Amino acid sequence: MTQSASNELVSLILHGDIAVLSTDSPPVNALSLAVRQQLYTQLQQLMADNSVHAVILICEGRTFFAGADIKELGAPPVSPKISELNALIEDSPKPVIAAIHGNALGGGLELALSCHYRIATQSARCGLTEVTLGILPGAGGTQRLPRVVGVAKALDMICFGKRIGAQECQANGLVDAIAADDSLLDAALDFARTLVAEDRPLLRVRERRDHLREAEENPAVFQQFRTANAKKFKGLVAPEINIQAVEAAVSLPFDEGLKKEKELYTQLVAGPQPAALQYAFFAERQIDKIPGLPTDMAPKEFSKIGVVGAGTMGGGIAMNFASIGLPVTLLETSQEALDRGLGVIRRHYESSASKGRISDAQAQAAIGHLRGTLDIADLAECDLVIEAVFENMAVKKDIFARLDKTVKAGAILATNTSFLDVEEIASATRRPDAVVGMHFFSPANIMKLVEVVRTPQNSPQVIAPLLALGKRIGKIPVLVGNGYGFVGNRIINQRKLQGQALLLEGAMPWDVDRVLTDFGFPMGPFAMSDMAGLDIGWSVEQSRGETIRDILCEQDRRGQKTGAGYYDYDANRRATPSPLTEKIIGDFLAEKNIKPRQIGTEEIIERCIYPMINEACKVLEEGVAIRASDIDVIMVNGYGFPRYCGGLMYFADQVGLSKVLAIMQKLESELGETMKPAALLEKLVSEGGKLHKITNG
Ligand code: NAD
């Protein structure tokens, strides 16, 4: 006999003596105040009801509780808090079972950990992802997870915000049973009936210490974890505080551990990083909002992809599509270049499989989706062709003219150019409306960002499907306008130009790079040039030894690919400062009668970061970026601008725009017109506005 009762968000259905509390709060069943209140009230009533012998917590829609309600972050917590709900569940005199589908994340997993048993569908995923927002799981997650999965696994999950699949959850004791995706409720009911019939004990996680024993006996595990991950955690506050919270799970009794967790949470939210990381999180969700682009367009089918050029970028670009099962044809000019390109791709996949990142079968399937050719006619049936050949307008125009004649009507032709004018490239075809930029970042199979470059001729029918395809291959596609270097390269170019100028005043490449990596970038401009190749846009015929780069390239120091550039590289591509580069720079300055001077950290920051902010203001003024937060998404995901600073625009607001303006005025007086403060910057300072809030939409 089934009985039911419902209030707005949480409904109760009785299956005999098993109560099912089902939450339906779209889109992701966040644990908002209203959901918490209704769950709390219903649970209290069920606990007092002697005819109910077990309770199942389940969710409607696409997911289990996917976390706390992010809209409530930063506001003072209102009872019943998630921790109070968790205490009620864990103290229940009858078993409470979490039935998980979709995601159990953050507060959602903390709630599930307070249940006595957990059952999940095959496709479910669990994780404590708070660290990615600069905080920690503050509803007992740092105390309960290590008690279930052990300290090593808990540190890995909590400090990286990792989500793990149901199989891995079961292998680590995080779920007790797995159900087929389409029969979670039935499986949970069977599970509950068995518990009741066998009178199984209430497994209260807070009472367990068995999985903490290993760390109790070997407390060095925490220090080892810190040391092993120091580079990944550089600059971030939250991972260290999360480690301390897990340490408390081992060193303190449960209730004291909870108090420590709360104390550490309070300490974290008092700092600036959570707000910056939460801003970055929301900025990435804004990129979809594109003025004038209908959201209800029929999706375009992409069933065959072509890539022209199997070099550094072409190979990585091709992998993105092969990895999701789309057939890719790679066009090259010689068999040798093709074999080399395909060989690099194959080795990438094989190495990923040997490291366990993908299975052997996945690697072989992806390799099987790639095909090389020397004949452009083999691209005829492609729905999208992406060109990634040398950065040379004449070469690109020639290829686009030939692609236009060969590739079927209706197909989109994209260029991966770093700086060139996409409209001019499009002018070589009879379908300029279907020619766009798809600017990937190196390594293209790994870096998340793609700038989708729109020209005035492109219709929504071309742009919208490309943005959707970008998402399908796991990227963050940001729509930008056509203009020199688009958004990202135009802005980062300021850093590069100032870095080069600093060499001519007495700095060494590694001095500049060190200051910028200390600032939080993963790489400085010189290490980045070495990685991309110093010879992008350089040719031996035109080189006249007029710049340090010319001289380095002429000496075949073209970057990592030739084993030397600004730096020397060993067989593992580890960089060391190069005495030869130092001599080249010294000789260059001597020849020009320049006396090198000492350049300090502060000056390097002023010269490299502030002109980027100024340039970004111009990008916004000109409408090349839709909104300031898009620039932040680009700088964080394409160039490694520290996410914990929110992004370049958010950082500028934190520093204070008056200070930014004052520095630009100083640089203008020292270096001239190129440093002239942007009109937008001046306007915002005079009006007291915020840069990161600017939008052209
Ligand atoms: P690369 O020199 O590694 O590769 C270019 C490849 O194109 C070579 O293998 C070459 O044989 C092939 N090629 C040349 N002409 C061709 C033709 N007519 N038909 C077919 N193949 C041809 O260069 P890359 O670094 O991969 O750069 C490619 C493009 O991507 C450039 O426009 C560059 O500006 C852009 N890009 C590069 C980076 C980077 O970091 N390397 C990042 C973003 C964008």
Side-chain angles (χ1 to χ4, degrees), residues 106-354:
L109 181 57
E110 291 180 293
L111 182 138
L113 280 164
S114 307
C115 295
H116 307 105
Y117 294 92
R118 288 159 292 280
I119 178 167
T121 59
Q122 268 161 347
S123 62
R125 281 148 69 86
C126 296
L128 293 175
T129 47
E130 284 82 351
V131 74
T132 60
L133 296 177
I135 52 177
L136 58 71
T142 64
Q143 306 305 297
R144 288 194 181 90
L145 188 66
R147 282 175 158 79
V148 175
V149 301
V151 163
K153 187 77 189 163
L155 282 174
D156 192 43
M157 286 179 71
I158 292 174
C159 296
F160 290 106
K162 270 189 197 160
R163 305 162 191 214
I164 61 172
Q167 307 291 340
E168 201 176 338
C169 287
Q170 192 179 33
N172 285 281
L174 186 50
V175 302
D176 304 287
I178 294 188
D181 278 359
D182 58 359
S183 57
L184 178 61
L185 179 60
D186 288 344
L189 283 166
D190 285 348
F191 189 85
R193 286 185 192 114
T194 309
L195 291 180
V196 173
E198 294 179 0
D199 199 17
R200 292 239 214 118
L202 295 174
L203 293 184
R204 295 194 169 101
V205 170
R206 64 156 191 250
E207 289 167 2
R208 292 176 61 178
R209 286 199 71 85
D210 48 331
H211 287 295
L212 301 179
R213 221 144 282 146
E214 207 178 317
E216 268 170 354
E217 284 160 17
N218 175 26
V221 65
F222 293 103
Q223 204 45 47
Q224 283 157 4
F225 183 77
R226 286 185 176 98
T227 311
N229 296 297
K231 213 167 151 191
K232 291 181 190 147
F233 296 153
K234 196 176 139 224
L236 288 160
V237 175
E240 168 56 29
I241 305 295
N242 274 276
I243 297 173
Q244 290 176 22
V246 178
E247 270 178 317
V250 178
S251 62
L252 299 173
F254 184 77
D255 286 336
E256 282 181 46
L258 276 188
K259 270 191 215 142
K260 183 75 184 171
E261 180 189 85
K262 192 165 175 233
E263 203 180 295
L264 291 169
Y265 182 89
T266 311
Q267 179 187 331
L268 264 181
V269 294
Q273 290 196 0
L277 288 163
Q278 284 153 33
Y279 162 80
F281 173 89
F282 283 116
E284 280 165 11
R285 268 142 199 83
Q286 282 284 313
I287 56 167
D288 288 341
K289 300 191 177 68
I290 293 162
L293 211 64
T295 47
D296 55 351
M297 268 169 35
K300 180 178 162 66
E301 267 302 309
F302 289 97
S303 46
K304 277 191 184 152
I305 308 293
V307 175
V308 186
T312 311
M313 293 306 288
I317 292 169
M319 287 176 75
N320 289 309
F321 298 100
S323 297
I324 62 156
L326 281 178
V328 184
T329 306
L330 267 162
L331 175 70
E332 258 294 349
T333 45
S334 71
Q335 192 60 46
E336 195 196 342
L338 193 55
D339 290 345
R340 193 174 46 233
L342 288 170
V344 171
I345 296 176
R346 201 173 302 116
R347 281 193 295 281
H348 267 301
Y349 278 123
E350 285 166 358
S351 143
S352 295
S354 73

Side-chain angles (χ1 to χ4, degrees), residues 558-578:
R558 299 186 188 191
Q560 286 192 15
K561 61 185 168 190
T562 55
Y566 288 103
Y567 293 85
D568 289 334
Y569 292 89
D570 67 12
N572 297 319
R573 295 204 165 187
R574 248 192 315 260
T576 42
S578 163

